[in-house]
Amino acid sequence: MVTLWFVLLGVLFAGYFALAGADYGTALLMRAAPPERRREVLAATGPFFLGNEVWLVAAVGVLFGAFPRLEGELLSALYPVLVALLVALIGYTAAVQLRGRWHAGAKAGWDALIVGGAGIVAVGWGVFLGALLNGLPLDADGHRSGSLFSPVAVVSGLAFAALVAVHGAVFLTWRSTVDVRRLVPVLSRAAAVLVGAVVALAAVGVTGVEPLIAVPGAVAVIALVLVAPRLSPARATLCTGLACGLPVLVIGAARWPVALASTADPAGTLTVAEAAAGPATLGVLVWFAALVLPLVAAFQGMCWWAFRGDRRPVFW
Amino acid sequence: MDALVLARLQFAVTTSFHFLFVLLTLGLVTLVAITQTRAHRRGDPVLWRMTRFWGHLYVINYAVGIATGIVMEFQFGLNWSGLSAFAGDVFGAPLAVETLVAFFLESTFLGLWIFGWDRLSPRLHLALIWLVALTAYASALWIMSANAFLQHPVGYELSDGVLRLTDFGALLSNPTFGSALLHVLTAALLTGGVVMAGISAWHLLRGTAETEFFRRSMRQGVIAAAVSAPFVVGAGIAQFPIINELQPDKLGEDTGALGIPLALMMNIGVVLLITNLVLAHMRRRQPRWALWLAVLAIPWPFVAAISGWVFREVGRQPWLVYGLLRTEDAASQTDPTMMLLSFVAFTAMFAALAFLDWRLLAKVARRGPVSTPEFVPQEVRAW
């Protein structure tokens, strides 16, 4: 049961990164479009925006309900990163909603908030993933006793931002007439190199990660971003989406059975079993998950189907 | 200031701003769903335009407010990791159900509703707004059951220093849950009605061209408010004996400053009840003073709601989980400077968000239903 919930947690985070990655990635490239075409950039993710972002809410909800101890330790240990990320996320979501509805003179300000906000969110999640991979300096009580920034976490921040940017570029090529195709090869190579750098740094400085999972996982991510520029835009988006979603699954699997590794006091290491709620809680929650997840999948699938060929809908 | 005070202030600010958005969202979605149902059954063009206009205001408020909900959720882990460590098994369960059953589905349905006007069948589109409303209510239900657990913990056992869930059903039969939920839901409907009536009254006072549109909107808002207000007051009063029994300190002799928000909420509730009953009786033409009354009523449900929460939550102190976990023992060990920084940053963001939301709502509301065709524009308007 604990394993099932850990997988589910990973899937929800992976879904969030893959889906909302398109929101942030397209936003990052907003300035690549001429000012009069920028609304199209937002329109490209328009019908899916709420559905994409809410995967995060579901993931954190499951983190709290099914792994309360991981939630408390992880979030409070990553405090500065998450505060910056959340502030940026608020600014970004609000700017997306308000840009088209405010007077025309303020567009440049909203654009800056959208690009900057999406950038901080993307780098922030990369640092988050890097900290999971690298481990955090925790004391025996699970409180952070040193800096949360490690070389792995920092490079991982850049690598994830690059992954998200490639995803955004191919998504825009698929769903809009904004021409960012020229950026795709450059961004895809940059993402591949940065992901490679994370792996290299981790190979030197990180222990407790299963290489038989981590290395093929990283190779898959690199292959997906490198192959994307050669494919049709829709298939390329699928590939880059997978590349955004995979890292959290690979890190979770390679760290198993540890949920949060301590680089300081070994007693601070939190295993998945220790982090999980009791069997009664998990048993109750599983019914709700079994009811809801197929419904969400069906209705979000319906949303993608309903707007499959359509590049027009503009609400934002 | 020490980190604990800052963490408490931050929680109060986050919840308050979040609830300002939630209150209007919950109220308006019900009214939009009712309007769309009436439009669907009668095929009346005015009702269709009403659905779009009020739906537009609803969507703006939802979409701008969604970020406050995300911060709300993160805050438990960021600032109160002692709560998840100690009570996460029990408290986390309804919270997780809320995010899954309610929020996750709600946003999915809403995304389809917003963009689905022209491409889904009218019946499916109508079903979607009701699904949005239902999931929004479910959201309130699970959040209130989680909050009721903090007020009066049930369904748990204490083993090895942490709480374990023993009876999930007990969370829903908690005496501090049922009447409080009814109170919150009807207060939201009252708020939606007051806002709808107030905006309509403003247009009628201005004598804008859309007299028919706003007279009918006003009627609908006033009726919603008049129907819900007695329940708000009733469900509020029904909580006193429960509080007396389970949280005697809350209403005790030395509550001091707590009496102010309580009195404020109760007075506003009674005034709104009387006002809307009077307005509901003026069937045909409302005199100008009645229209002014409706306009001036707009901010008060929000003031009352925040006062109500202050009473409920501050009255729980010094406990986070009543009788089991003290607030001071639940706070994360965070550097006070960092805490101050995040408090200032979040507060500034929320204040800006609320300001922008209301400015935008006011702008769209002032413009009136002419703006609604752009709700689903025919082509990309690049500007």
Side-chain angles (χ1 to χ4, degrees), chain B residues 39-368:
Chain B
H40 188 81
R41 293 177 69 173
R42 298 210 214 146
D44 182 340
V46 176
L47 286 169
W48 276 117
R49 292 176 66 228
M50 278 167 64
T51 310
R52 293 214 171 194
F53 175 71
W54 298 108
H56 192 184
L57 292 177
Y58 158 68
V59 168
I60 290 172
N61 191 63
Y62 184 98
V64 177
I66 194 169
T68 63
I70 296 177
V71 176
M72 194 63 237
E73 198 187 14
F74 270 90
Q75 193 160 175
F76 291 114
L78 285 172
N79 292 349
W80 305 102
S81 54
L83 173 67
S84 17
F86 175 72
D89 266 44
V90 194
F91 178 70
L95 226 56
V97 172
E98 189 265 344
T99 58
L100 284 174
V101 174
F103 213 163
F104 204 15
L105 272 174
E106 184 186 4
S107 283
T108 303
F109 292 141
L110 183 58
L112 269 168
W113 184 79
I114 295 173
F115 291 92
W117 279 95
D118 288 342
R119 66 204 78 199
L120 301 174
S121 81
R123 224 173 252 225
L124 177 61
H125 192 254
L126 176 65
L128 280 170
I129 192 68
W130 277 109
L131 287 169
V132 173
L134 277 180
T135 43
Y137 277 70
S139 198
L141 183 144
W142 293 108
I143 287 297
M144 289 306 290
S145 78
N147 179 268
F149 172 81
L150 301 183
Q151 306 290 339
H152 176 59
V154 290
Y156 69 90
E157 65 177 5
L158 190 60
S159 75
D160 301 330
V162 295
L163 301 187
R164 297 284 181 190
L165 182 70
T166 54
D167 183 2
F168 188 68
L171 295 174
L172 296 178
S173 55
N174 191 332
T176 57
F177 166 63
S179 46
L181 175 68
L182 185 65
H183 190 57
V184 164
L185 290 180
T186 48
L189 188 55
L190 172 64
T191 309
V194 165
V195 169
M196 192 182 243
I199 292 172
S200 306
W202 186 85
H203 277 274
L204 294 173
L205 278 170
R206 284 274 307 262
T208 44
E210 300 279 353
T211 316
E212 158 87 354
F213 182 98
F214 283 114
R215 188 163 294 153
R216 289 172 72 175
S217 294
M218 174 146 185
R219 185 89 197 127
Q220 189 171 327
V222 165
I223 289 177
V227 168
S228 50
F231 288 97
V232 181
V233 174
I237 293 170
Q239 292 175 59
F240 282 117
I242 300 164
I243 295 173
N244 263 329
E245 189 194 329
L246 299 172
Q247 299 178 320
D249 298 343
K250 218 181 225 180
L251 292 168
E253 289 296 311
D254 51 344
T255 44
L258 257 193
I260 298 169
L262 179 63
L264 192 58
M265 168 178 72
M266 289 170 66
N267 285 317
I268 293 172
V270 171
V271 172
L272 286 175
L273 169 67
I274 297 169
T275 308
N276 282 290
L277 285 177
V278 170
L279 289 175
H281 272 92
M282 296 176 174
R283 284 204 147 267
R284 274 285 120 211
R285 238 173 193 292
Q286 279 103 352
R288 288 186 78 81
W289 65 263
L291 295 175
W292 273 115
L293 205 58
V295 174
L296 293 175
I298 293 176
W300 296 104
F302 297 95
V303 177
I306 299 305
S307 306
W309 276 112
V310 167
F311 173 69
R312 186 171 168 100
E313 298 301 283
V314 177
R316 172 165 47 76
Q317 302 300 329
W319 300 103
L320 204 172
V321 183
Y322 201 82
L324 292 173
L325 178 68
R326 282 179 183 276
T327 308
E328 56 192 296
D329 298 329
S332 304
Q333 290 186 356
T334 308
D335 172 35
T337 322
M338 194 58 230
M339 190 69 99
L340 181 66
L341 208 66
S342 74
F343 172 63
V344 172
F346 280 131
T347 307
M349 288 305 277
F350 289 145
L353 216 53
F355 171 75
L356 293 170
D357 182 47
W358 292 331
R359 272 281 300 270
L360 186 59
L361 288 177
K363 185 178 161 190
V364 174
R366 239 194 335 256
R367 206 163 43 179

Side-chain angles (χ1 to χ4, degrees), chain A residues 83-224:
Chain A
V83 169
L85 197 160
L86 287 174
V87 169
L89 189 59
I90 301 170
Y92 162 75
T93 4
V96 169
Q97 321 298 330
L98 296 170
R99 183 183 186 277
R101 297 199 170 76
W102 218 253
H103 57 89
K107 291 270 183 294
W110 294 124
D111 290 355
L113 201 53
I114 289 172
V115 176
I120 294 173
V121 169
V123 172
W125 284 121
V127 173
F128 175 90
L129 289 169
L132 283 180
L133 174 64
N134 183 75
L136 287 162
L138 302 173
D139 64 21
D141 292 330
H143 298 298
R144 181 161 58 82
S145 53
S147 169
L148 63 91
F149 291 102
S150 55
V152 172
V154 173
V155 180
S156 166
L158 298 175
F160 193 69
L163 282 177
V164 162
V166 190
H167 190 31
V170 295
F171 189 87
L172 276 182
T173 309
W174 175 37
R175 296 280 314 179
S176 79
T177 53
V178 177
D179 189 14
V180 288
R181 242 168 305 177
R182 70 204 140 81
L183 295 175
V184 174
V186 187
L187 288 172
S188 104
R189 277 195 294 273
V193 169
L194 285 165
V195 173
V198 174
V199 177
L201 283 171
V204 179
V206 179
T207 52
V209 174
E210 172 57 56
L212 287 177
I213 296 171
V215 173
V219 170
V221 172
I222 292 170
L224 283 167

